[in-house]
Amino acid sequence: MDRLNRLQALTGDAYICGEESAFQPFVLPMPKPQHLYEGTDSDDDEVIISRGRVILGNANENFNPSAIKSGINTRPNEFPKYDLQLGEPAADGESFCSFQTVKKYPYAYIGATNRQRVAASFFDQGKLFDQTWDFFYLYRASLDTNQQPILLVPTKQLEHFLEIINRSLNTSLTIPTGGTNGGFQVTFENNGTPQPRYLGRSTDREMADRLKDNIPPRYYRPGGAPPSPKEPSDRSLEAFQAKINLMVQAQKGKKVAHKEKQKKERIERQHSWSQAIKRVQRYLGLREIRQGHLEAIRASLEKSGLEWGDYDAAVKAAAAKLPPTTSFHSGQLARFEQEASVVFVCVDVEAYERNTKLITEIGIATLDTKDIASVVPGEGGVNWMSCIRARHFRINEHKHLNNFEFVAGCADRFEFGASEFINLKDAPHIIASCFKYPFSKPEETTSGHDEQPKRNVILVGHDIGADINFLKTIGYDIHNLSNLLETADTAFMWRYLKRETNPRNLGSILAELGIIGWNLHNAGNDAVYTLQAMVAIAIKHIEEKHKAKEVREQEKKARMTEALREATEFAMEKDEGWSSEGSDGGVAAAPAPPSGSKGKKGADFQSRGKHSEGPWRPEEHRGQIGGQRQLWQDPDKAGRPSKSTISGKVAPFTSRPVPLEDYIKKTTPSDDKSTKNGGQRAKTNHATQNKSVPAWLNE
């Protein structure tokens, strides 16, 4: 019995290589042809495709620099097409490559010089799918652990795609060859092993996804044709598997591709943070609204005949000669027109630290750009900050909950007015009223204001995503606002301003901006200070841009020097203590029992505790958890251990008996200690308020 028959006997599969009989009919719902531009005649010179890009029918047009910038494709001659039915096998000798490899082509196979240009123009944001692709599918051998079919495209079409890129960007991209790069040109024979079979043609992302989701089963054959009678030899099976491995190896640049993808995503995030600051400046009237300037410059250079590098440099040089787009003078009104006449609304939500589903405070601060249009900003925007109005809401059902372990809560210390107590069921309606005229002015009635036109709203916050989710828990979804223009997050704005990789808390940002933040972690105060930080960051960004170039370069060098010094110190600290040169090992050291273990195995484990110490445990009990269960899950029973835990008067959070008198002394708060919650003593469920023994301790 040969190897193939043995495998068939073991598996009970008569066709282990993917040529099973068609035991049931299969009908694939073919994608409906999509007319991408109704009314376009097939003889027209231009064919409109998705994303507004144009493929010109004349392949002999001269190179056009403006086409490079706009992403226009120029179609080379002889686009390779395939007139095949669904499931029809490809012709012998036809070469293929994995579509997954094509998607990673710019990141794994293009050098740094052209990588970003090619990726941005033809790959990023789904642009790769805007090209025409004839997809084929290939099943693996039946005994392969991975039974997912492989999506293939003909090598000819990849070559055609690279020609489009080369003509548009004046590059010389080719298909890699040799070694593992042979995965770009894999051929398959009709020798009983699985063959690439036609799936369909795609011209956009939706069609490609639909084709991928409707790959026929392994046994499908067009017209009910019988499976191939050929049985592959062992050598054919080995050759087939080698080709599969070759296609997988073509993605060996996966690590590089992943790194490049992360880099691209990081750059895009940083760019979005920069754009957010600039838009805030436009809303405040600190930046000019410019439209069409770069387009006009590019149009003027269209017929210059410059190469890519010279053309790009010429555009940047012309843009640099334009007058400044930003202006800030503390004693003068904003120079530029305020864009969109927006209202900045900042939201901050505080939740109970033991159960974040319990919302305790909601702070809302508002800055109307109409209020500051006739106000000089003052030093650092201080006069504009005085126009911020705020409201502070406390939830009646949760007003007894106050944070004091993770953060110093101060719900009773609203610095910008009087706190308002509301019921939880009324919170969504009250919050919604703050996003309408008169925008957080509780002293004004809303009668007669229904006729007021809607104003564009900018939602502001510090890590705004968390506050949006908190609002959803009480029944208010900010995204339902029809006049919500965008969000502005001061955490990201600050990171861009200071070129920092890690986020900062609001308090440290205020300190660096020279703003004194009183009683932070009060929702109303935090909302006001976040708006103040937004204004200050927008102004500081302009001031730093107006610094002399030499000063900016010096600051950049200082940052790099400091980062290098810290990295060097860290590397040296890691190496310390590892060298033992000049020592022969010394004398033998007898193993000593752990301190306080009395020689018992595992006593040290009990003394240290199996749980890592967290900040939520009372200071006097930290490090004494031992094997006891955490007792702080229920706030109403905090500190009250079970009867089994306190048998023999064992104090909670300890691993050994403690005299009852010592436990009472340790857990009873001193009368002369002031708490951090507005002079009121925080509730301490695990301690008594006098020297008497708690009733539950004697149960």
Side-chain angles (χ1 to χ4, degrees), residues 406-429:
F406 296 157
V407 296
C410 47
D412 57 344
R413 299 181 188 177
F414 181 43
E415 299 286 337
F416 302 95
S419 300
E420 304 172 54
F421 289 86
I422 62 175
N423 294 324
L424 186 61
K425 64 181 179 63
D426 300 327
H429 174 72

PDB file of all heavy atoms in Angstrom, residues 406-429:
ATOM      1  N   PHE A 406      -8.151  56.113  45.520  1.00  0.00           N
ATOM      2  CA  PHE A 406      -7.374  56.277  44.293  1.00  0.00           C
ATOM      3  C   PHE A 406      -7.084  57.749  44.016  1.00  0.00           C
ATOM      4  O   PHE A 406      -6.002  58.117  43.590  1.00  0.00           O
ATOM      5  CB  PHE A 406      -8.118  55.670  43.105  1.00  0.00           C
ATOM      6  CG  PHE A 406      -8.309  54.183  43.224  1.00  0.00           C
ATOM      7  CD1 PHE A 406      -9.324  53.553  42.539  1.00  0.00           C
ATOM      8  CD2 PHE A 406      -7.475  53.417  44.024  1.00  0.00           C
ATOM      9  CE1 PHE A 406      -9.504  52.183  42.634  1.00  0.00           C
ATOM     10  CE2 PHE A 406      -7.649  52.056  44.133  1.00  0.00           C
ATOM     11  CZ  PHE A 406      -8.668  51.430  43.436  1.00  0.00           C
ATOM     12  N   VAL A 407      -8.095  58.590  44.185  1.00  0.00           N
ATOM     13  CA  VAL A 407      -7.954  60.030  43.978  1.00  0.00           C
ATOM     14  C   VAL A 407      -8.593  60.747  45.152  1.00  0.00           C
ATOM     15  O   VAL A 407      -9.421  60.182  45.869  1.00  0.00           O
ATOM     16  CB  VAL A 407      -8.621  60.489  42.656  1.00  0.00           C
ATOM     17  CG1 VAL A 407      -7.937  59.874  41.460  1.00  0.00           C
ATOM     18  CG2 VAL A 407     -10.112  60.148  42.656  1.00  0.00           C
ATOM     19  N   ALA A 408      -8.216  61.993  45.350  1.00  0.00           N
ATOM     20  CA  ALA A 408      -8.784  62.796  46.429  1.00  0.00           C
ATOM     21  C   ALA A 408     -10.036  63.485  45.905  1.00  0.00           C
ATOM     22  O   ALA A 408      -9.984  64.561  45.309  1.00  0.00           O
ATOM     23  CB  ALA A 408      -7.767  63.821  46.920  1.00  0.00           C
ATOM     24  N   GLY A 409     -11.178  62.856  46.117  1.00  0.00           N
ATOM     25  CA  GLY A 409     -12.425  63.441  45.663  1.00  0.00           C
ATOM     26  C   GLY A 409     -12.794  64.667  46.480  1.00  0.00           C
ATOM     27  O   GLY A 409     -12.495  64.765  47.672  1.00  0.00           O
ATOM     28  N   CYS A 410     -13.444  65.616  45.818  1.00  0.00           N
ATOM     29  CA  CYS A 410     -13.868  66.844  46.516  1.00  0.00           C
ATOM     30  C   CYS A 410     -15.159  67.340  45.880  1.00  0.00           C
ATOM     31  O   CYS A 410     -15.208  68.439  45.307  1.00  0.00           O
ATOM     32  CB  CYS A 410     -12.781  67.913  46.469  1.00  0.00           C
ATOM     33  SG  CYS A 410     -12.058  68.168  44.836  1.00  0.00           S
ATOM     34  N   ALA A 411     -16.172  66.530  45.958  1.00  0.00           N
ATOM     35  CA  ALA A 411     -17.440  66.845  45.306  1.00  0.00           C
ATOM     36  C   ALA A 411     -18.087  68.100  45.865  1.00  0.00           C
ATOM     37  O   ALA A 411     -18.904  68.733  45.190  1.00  0.00           O
ATOM     38  CB  ALA A 411     -18.398  65.662  45.440  1.00  0.00           C
ATOM     39  N   ASP A 412     -17.747  68.488  47.101  1.00  0.00           N
ATOM     40  CA  ASP A 412     -18.375  69.643  47.734  1.00  0.00           C
ATOM     41  C   ASP A 412     -17.562  70.921  47.571  1.00  0.00           C
ATOM     42  O   ASP A 412     -17.813  71.905  48.258  1.00  0.00           O
ATOM     43  CB  ASP A 412     -18.594  69.358  49.225  1.00  0.00           C
ATOM     44  CG  ASP A 412     -17.299  68.993  49.940  1.00  0.00           C
ATOM     45  OD1 ASP A 412     -16.317  68.667  49.241  1.00  0.00           O
ATOM     46  OD2 ASP A 412     -17.280  69.022  51.187  1.00  0.00           O
ATOM     47  N   ARG A 413     -16.591  70.930  46.668  1.00  0.00           N
ATOM     48  CA  ARG A 413     -15.720  72.103  46.521  1.00  0.00           C
ATOM     49  C   ARG A 413     -15.725  72.616  45.084  1.00  0.00           C
ATOM     50  O   ARG A 413     -14.689  72.720  44.436  1.00  0.00           O
ATOM     51  CB  ARG A 413     -14.293  71.761  46.946  1.00  0.00           C
ATOM     52  CG  ARG A 413     -14.176  71.342  48.396  1.00  0.00           C
ATOM     53  CD  ARG A 413     -12.743  71.049  48.769  1.00  0.00           C
ATOM     54  NE  ARG A 413     -12.650  70.482  50.097  1.00  0.00           N
ATOM     55  CZ  ARG A 413     -11.513  70.082  50.664  1.00  0.00           C
ATOM     56  NH1 ARG A 413     -10.377  70.176  50.001  1.00  0.00           N
ATOM     57  NH2 ARG A 413     -11.521  69.572  51.877  1.00  0.00           N
ATOM     58  N   PHE A 414     -16.873  72.925  44.574  1.00  0.00           N
ATOM     59  CA  PHE A 414     -16.989  73.508  43.241  1.00  0.00           C
ATOM     60  C   PHE A 414     -16.577  74.967  43.300  1.00  0.00           C
ATOM     61  O   PHE A 414     -17.130  75.747  44.078  1.00  0.00           O
ATOM     62  CB  PHE A 414     -18.431  73.356  42.746  1.00  0.00           C
ATOM     63  CG  PHE A 414     -18.672  73.904  41.368  1.00  0.00           C
ATOM     64  CD1 PHE A 414     -17.766  73.674  40.328  1.00  0.00           C
ATOM     65  CD2 PHE A 414     -19.811  74.648  41.099  1.00  0.00           C
ATOM     66  CE1 PHE A 414     -18.000  74.162  39.063  1.00  0.00           C
ATOM     67  CE2 PHE A 414     -20.053  75.139  39.835  1.00  0.00           C
ATOM     68  CZ  PHE A 414     -19.135  74.904  38.812  1.00  0.00           C
ATOM     69  N   GLU A 415     -15.594  75.350  42.516  1.00  0.00           N
ATOM     70  CA  GLU A 415     -14.977  76.670  42.606  1.00  0.00           C
ATOM     71  C   GLU A 415     -15.665  77.722  41.744  1.00  0.00           C
ATOM     72  O   GLU A 415     -15.325  78.903  41.836  1.00  0.00           O
ATOM     73  CB  GLU A 415     -13.506  76.581  42.175  1.00  0.00           C
ATOM     74  CG  GLU A 415     -12.657  75.665  43.018  1.00  0.00           C
ATOM     75  CD  GLU A 415     -12.350  76.270  44.376  1.00  0.00           C
ATOM     76  OE1 GLU A 415     -12.410  77.513  44.498  1.00  0.00           O
ATOM     77  OE2 GLU A 415     -12.056  75.508  45.308  1.00  0.00           O
ATOM     78  N   PHE A 416     -16.615  77.336  40.883  1.00  0.00           N
ATOM     79  CA  PHE A 416     -17.140  78.282  39.894  1.00  0.00           C
ATOM     80  C   PHE A 416     -18.659  78.419  39.990  1.00  0.00           C
ATOM     81  O   PHE A 416     -19.331  78.634  38.995  1.00  0.00           O
ATOM     82  CB  PHE A 416     -16.744  77.833  38.482  1.00  0.00           C
ATOM     83  CG  PHE A 416     -15.256  77.711  38.294  1.00  0.00           C
ATOM     84  CD1 PHE A 416     -14.618  76.488  38.461  1.00  0.00           C
ATOM     85  CD2 PHE A 416     -14.489  78.820  37.982  1.00  0.00           C
ATOM     86  CE1 PHE A 416     -13.246  76.368  38.291  1.00  0.00           C
ATOM     87  CE2 PHE A 416     -13.124  78.719  37.815  1.00  0.00           C
ATOM     88  CZ  PHE A 416     -12.493  77.487  37.972  1.00  0.00           C
ATOM     89  N   GLY A 417     -19.186  78.306  41.192  1.00  0.00           N
ATOM     90  CA  GLY A 417     -20.616  78.458  41.392  1.00  0.00           C
ATOM     91  C   GLY A 417     -21.118  77.492  42.432  1.00  0.00           C
ATOM     92  O   GLY A 417     -20.360  76.977  43.270  1.00  0.00           O
ATOM     93  N   ALA A 418     -22.421  77.256  42.411  1.00  0.00           N
ATOM     94  CA  ALA A 418     -23.058  76.355  43.375  1.00  0.00           C
ATOM     95  C   ALA A 418     -23.385  75.038  42.693  1.00  0.00           C
ATOM     96  O   ALA A 418     -23.845  75.003  41.548  1.00  0.00           O
ATOM     97  CB  ALA A 418     -24.323  76.988  43.932  1.00  0.00           C
ATOM     98  N   SER A 419     -23.141  73.954  43.398  1.00  0.00           N
ATOM     99  CA  SER A 419     -23.463  72.629  42.871  1.00  0.00           C
ATOM    100  C   SER A 419     -24.974  72.445  42.837  1.00  0.00           C
ATOM    101  O   SER A 419     -25.707  72.989  43.670  1.00  0.00           O
ATOM    102  CB  SER A 419     -22.827  71.543  43.736  1.00  0.00           C
ATOM    103  OG  SER A 419     -21.423  71.675  43.753  1.00  0.00           O
ATOM    104  N   GLU A 420     -25.449  71.657  41.869  1.00  0.00           N
ATOM    105  CA  GLU A 420     -26.870  71.369  41.722  1.00  0.00           C
ATOM    106  C   GLU A 420     -27.085  69.869  41.917  1.00  0.00           C
ATOM    107  O   GLU A 420     -26.411  69.058  41.278  1.00  0.00           O
ATOM    108  CB  GLU A 420     -27.366  71.788  40.329  1.00  0.00           C
ATOM    109  CG  GLU A 420     -27.094  73.249  40.004  1.00  0.00           C
ATOM    110  CD  GLU A 420     -27.407  73.581  38.549  1.00  0.00           C
ATOM    111  OE1 GLU A 420     -28.554  73.302  38.125  1.00  0.00           O
ATOM    112  OE2 GLU A 420     -26.524  74.090  37.843  1.00  0.00           O
ATOM    113  N   PHE A 421     -28.027  69.515  42.784  1.00  0.00           N
ATOM    114  CA  PHE A 421     -28.335  68.109  43.049  1.00  0.00           C
ATOM    115  C   PHE A 421     -29.512  67.701  42.170  1.00  0.00           C
ATOM    116  O   PHE A 421     -30.571  68.342  42.195  1.00  0.00           O
ATOM    117  CB  PHE A 421     -28.658  67.897  44.526  1.00  0.00           C
ATOM    118  CG  PHE A 421     -27.458  68.019  45.414  1.00  0.00           C
ATOM    119  CD1 PHE A 421     -27.050  69.260  45.884  1.00  0.00           C
ATOM    120  CD2 PHE A 421     -26.712  66.898  45.770  1.00  0.00           C
ATOM    121  CE1 PHE A 421     -25.929  69.382  46.694  1.00  0.00           C
ATOM    122  CE2 PHE A 421     -25.600  67.014  46.581  1.00  0.00           C
ATOM    123  CZ  PHE A 421     -25.203  68.256  47.041  1.00  0.00           C
ATOM    124  N   ILE A 422     -29.312  66.639  41.404  1.00  0.00           N
ATOM    125  CA  ILE A 422     -30.343  66.173  40.478  1.00  0.00           C
ATOM    126  C   ILE A 422     -30.554  64.672  40.679  1.00  0.00           C
ATOM    127  O   ILE A 422     -29.677  63.974  41.191  1.00  0.00           O
ATOM    128  CB  ILE A 422     -29.959  66.454  39.011  1.00  0.00           C
ATOM    129  CG1 ILE A 422     -28.679  65.693  38.639  1.00  0.00           C
ATOM    130  CG2 ILE A 422     -29.791  67.945  38.776  1.00  0.00           C
ATOM    131  CD1 ILE A 422     -28.290  65.811  37.181  1.00  0.00           C
ATOM    132  N   ASN A 423     -31.716  64.200  40.253  1.00  0.00           N
ATOM    133  CA  ASN A 423     -31.992  62.766  40.301  1.00  0.00           C
ATOM    134  C   ASN A 423     -31.407  62.084  39.072  1.00  0.00           C
ATOM    135  O   ASN A 423     -31.284  62.685  37.996  1.00  0.00           O
ATOM    136  CB  ASN A 423     -33.501  62.516  40.363  1.00  0.00           C
ATOM    137  CG  ASN A 423     -34.111  63.019  41.655  1.00  0.00           C
ATOM    138  OD1 ASN A 423     -33.477  62.945  42.720  1.00  0.00           O
ATOM    139  ND2 ASN A 423     -35.328  63.535  41.576  1.00  0.00           N
ATOM    140  N   LEU A 424     -31.079  60.841  39.232  1.00  0.00           N
ATOM    141  CA  LEU A 424     -30.437  60.098  38.153  1.00  0.00           C
ATOM    142  C   LEU A 424     -31.326  60.028  36.916  1.00  0.00           C
ATOM    143  O   LEU A 424     -30.836  60.140  35.786  1.00  0.00           O
ATOM    144  CB  LEU A 424     -30.082  58.689  38.639  1.00  0.00           C
ATOM    145  CG  LEU A 424     -29.278  57.814  37.679  1.00  0.00           C
ATOM    146  CD1 LEU A 424     -27.937  58.446  37.357  1.00  0.00           C
ATOM    147  CD2 LEU A 424     -29.075  56.418  38.264  1.00  0.00           C
ATOM    148  N   LYS A 425     -32.626  59.880  37.108  1.00  0.00           N
ATOM    149  CA  LYS A 425     -33.533  59.755  35.965  1.00  0.00           C
ATOM    150  C   LYS A 425     -33.646  61.054  35.178  1.00  0.00           C
ATOM    151  O   LYS A 425     -34.000  61.051  33.990  1.00  0.00           O
ATOM    152  CB  LYS A 425     -34.911  59.308  36.433  1.00  0.00           C
ATOM    153  CG  LYS A 425     -35.634  60.282  37.338  1.00  0.00           C
ATOM    154  CD  LYS A 425     -36.992  59.754  37.777  1.00  0.00           C
ATOM    155  CE  LYS A 425     -37.708  60.730  38.700  1.00  0.00           C
ATOM    156  NZ  LYS A 425     -38.010  62.021  38.050  1.00  0.00           N
ATOM    157  N   ASP A 426     -33.353  62.186  35.832  1.00  0.00           N
ATOM    158  CA  ASP A 426     -33.436  63.488  35.156  1.00  0.00           C
ATOM    159  C   ASP A 426     -32.124  63.890  34.495  1.00  0.00           C
ATOM    160  O   ASP A 426     -32.092  64.890  33.756  1.00  0.00           O
ATOM    161  CB  ASP A 426     -33.839  64.574  36.158  1.00  0.00           C
ATOM    162  CG  ASP A 426     -35.195  64.302  36.791  1.00  0.00           C
ATOM    163  OD1 ASP A 426     -36.052  63.734  36.080  1.00  0.00           O
ATOM    164  OD2 ASP A 426     -35.376  64.645  37.976  1.00  0.00           O
ATOM    165  N   ALA A 427     -31.050  63.145  34.737  1.00  0.00           N
ATOM    166  CA  ALA A 427     -29.729  63.544  34.252  1.00  0.00           C
ATOM    167  C   ALA A 427     -29.661  63.666  32.733  1.00  0.00           C
ATOM    168  O   ALA A 427     -29.123  64.664  32.216  1.00  0.00           O
ATOM    169  CB  ALA A 427     -28.671  62.565  34.773  1.00  0.00           C
ATOM    170  N   PRO A 428     -30.177  62.698  31.946  1.00  0.00           N
ATOM    171  CA  PRO A 428     -30.063  62.838  30.485  1.00  0.00           C
ATOM    172  C   PRO A 428     -30.708  64.115  29.954  1.00  0.00           C
ATOM    173  O   PRO A 428     -30.137  64.799  29.100  1.00  0.00           O
ATOM    174  CB  PRO A 428     -30.765  61.584  29.953  1.00  0.00           C
ATOM    175  CG  PRO A 428     -30.669  60.592  31.067  1.00  0.00           C
ATOM    176  CD  PRO A 428     -30.779  61.401  32.322  1.00  0.00           C
ATOM    177  N   HIS A 429     -31.896  64.466  30.468  1.00  0.00           N
ATOM    178  CA  HIS A 429     -32.588  65.670  29.996  1.00  0.00           C
ATOM    179  C   HIS A 429     -31.809  66.927  30.377  1.00  0.00           C
ATOM    180  O   HIS A 429     -31.686  67.871  29.565  1.00  0.00           O
ATOM    181  CB  HIS A 429     -33.998  65.720  30.581  1.00  0.00           C
ATOM    182  CG  HIS A 429     -34.728  66.993  30.271  1.00  0.00           C
ATOM    183  ND1 HIS A 429     -35.200  67.298  29.013  1.00  0.00           N
ATOM    184  CD2 HIS A 429     -35.034  68.063  31.071  1.00  0.00           C
ATOM    185  CE1 HIS A 429     -35.774  68.489  29.037  1.00  0.00           C
ATOM    186  NE2 HIS A 429     -35.698  68.970  30.275  1.00  0.00           N
TER     187      HIS A 429
END
